[in-house]
Amino acid sequence: MFSKPIFAAVHTTLACALAAGCALTAQAQNAYPERAVKVIVALPAGGSADMIARQVTQKLAVDLKQPFVVENKAGASGQIGTPAVARSAPDGYTLMVSPASFLTTNKSIFKSLPYDPEADFQPISRLVNQPMVLVVKDKQKFPSVAAVVSAAKSAPGKLTFASSGDGSPQHLAGLMFETRTRTQMLHVPYKGGAPAVNDTLAGNVDMLFAVLPEALPHIQSGKLHALGLLSPTRASTLPTTPTMLESGFADLNLSAWVGLFAPAKTPPAIVNQLNQAVRVALAGDIKAKLGKNGMEVAPSTPEQLKQAIAQEIKLHAELVKAAGIQAQ
């Protein structure tokens, strides 16, 4: 057995070591970030998720005093960029700004995914909510939602609607519209919101259930015609556009949220630091900037976002099943 002097010395040494370790840990946590942070968006530049990522990361870079670099890894309905984040080191230096669909609807649309939406990611915060809006180029042919429904019923499977990819919010909105109005249309997927909007502008597809920020500039310029919002209330940026309920079609509500995520097992201290930084960023002048583009800032706790994902996976699975869509 140790003598009392030796035991006291060992105890003191261990205490100092533990204290030093705790100090080093605290110092490492307080130092984050010490270098540039990469933020992956699994969609092309120019879409709403990319727009949100760039607005938010610019503010984070200023507040946290390190570059936040947005990198677009588009394609395969998020199945290129999203798994790249899942495989990254959980150290806070690779993050992801993602639309809800890549972590919710994709699980029902695809037989298998190269990532687990719930197990492979650590939610940090929801960033924004975005209402969906039905837009067309030819307002003479489609002056109202009722006109679209009538045309779809008279020629099942003939009318086309664009989306930013299988399982995207635009795709889900189209499925919801078909199910609620008992119509059948042809889905045309693209590799992001921007190309979907561009082909709608070109008249290559009949319509688009757009994320409002992506379509708003074209609606305001008169190049696209907004028929109805898939939301309970009208949007402040489109005060004359009716909701689907006002157009005579109930139970057509869908919001395309966008969130910030890290790889699973990212240290809680880093997650909490980023969550607080996001809240500060969204409370500043960025709130007004995003609002002008049809986005509603909606910060959350990591746990709230985790619960929302679990709930929406179930709800979207029910919608996909009701629409008769077979997993790809």
Side-chain angles (χ1 to χ4, degrees):
M1 294 180 64
F2 290 129
S3 65
K4 288 185 179 180
I6 295 176
F7 179 81
V10 171
H11 183 271
T12 301
T13 301
L14 287 174
C16 290
L18 288 171
C22 291
L24 288 172
T25 300
Q27 183 179 3
Q29 291 174 350
N30 292 335
Y32 174 84
E34 295 180 303
R35 52 186 169 86
V37 177
K38 179 168 63 177
V39 182
I40 291 178
V41 178
L43 288 165
S48 62
D50 178 72
M51 183 193 311
I52 294 161
R54 293 180 188 278
Q55 290 270 4
V56 173
T57 55
Q58 284 176 10
K59 182 64 175 172
L60 291 179
V62 173
D63 292 347
L64 296 179
K65 298 179 174 56
Q66 289 291 345
F68 277 68
V69 183
V70 175
E71 181 177 330
N72 298 92
K73 287 183 174 290
S77 298
Q79 296 183 62
I80 295 175
T82 307
V85 178
R87 294 191 296 265
S88 297
D91 55 8
Y93 290 97
T94 300
L95 307 176
M96 174 175 73
V97 169
S98 176
S101 58
F102 292 167
L103 300 171
T104 57
T105 320
N106 272 11
K107 196 163 185 178
S108 299
I109 295 291
F110 300 101
K111 291 181 180 178
S112 63
L113 290 172
Y115 60 90
D116 186 317
E118 296 182 275
D120 288 348
F121 303 97
Q122 169 59 57
I124 295 172
S125 177
R126 190 192 304 248
L127 300 176
V128 301
N129 286 325
Q130 307 171 100
M132 307 293 295
V133 59
L134 172 57
V135 296
V136 297
K137 177 180 175 62
D138 190 348
K139 64 179 180 181
Q140 299 300 321
K141 184 178 180 180
F142 304 112
S144 65
V145 177
V148 171
V149 173
S150 177
K153 287 186 175 180
S154 64
K158 297 296 183 181
L159 294 188
T160 55
F161 73 92
S163 83
S164 62
D166 292 318
S168 65
Q170 296 92 332
H171 184 197
L172 190 66
L175 293 180
M176 180 179 285
F177 186 84
E178 290 179 296
T179 301
R180 303 292 192 263
T181 61
R182 299 183 180 180
T183 55
Q184 181 183 354
M185 298 186 292
L186 179 62
H187 172 226
V188 183
Y190 291 84
K191 291 184 178 180
V197 170
N198 289 338
D199 251 22
T200 307
L201 286 165
N204 295 328
V205 288
D206 293 310
M207 70 196 76
L208 168 67
F209 294 89
V211 177
L212 181 55
E214 294 176 349
L216 187 59
H218 307 294
I219 296 170
Q220 293 173 332
S221 68
K223 293 179 180 179
L224 290 177
H225 180 52
L227 300 184
L229 287 155
L230 284 76
S231 60
T233 59
R234 295 193 182 195
S236 60
T237 49
L238 290 177
T240 62
T241 301
T243 65
M244 287 291 176
L245 180 59
E246 291 174 318
S247 299
F249 302 93
D251 201 19
L252 268 167
N253 296 318
L254 184 67
S255 173
W257 56 261
V258 175
L260 181 64
F261 299 84
K265 299 181 181 180
T266 297
I270 292 177
V271 172
N272 292 334
Q273 183 179 352
L274 286 168
N275 180 272
Q276 292 303 312
V278 165
R279 289 177 179 275
V280 171
L282 294 179
D285 58 358
I286 193 174
K287 180 177 181 179
K289 291 179 181 179
L290 292 174
K292 291 179 181 179
N293 289 311
M295 306 176 198
E296 175 191 349
V297 299
S300 71
T301 66
E303 185 59 31
Q304 287 171 336
L305 185 52
K306 181 179 180 179
Q307 291 175 356
I309 291 170
Q311 292 169 356
E312 290 186 21
I313 284 175
K314 294 179 181 178
L315 291 173
H316 294 182
E318 293 172 1
L319 182 60
V320 169
K321 182 179 179 180
I325 302 298
Q326 297 296 319
Q328 302 176 21

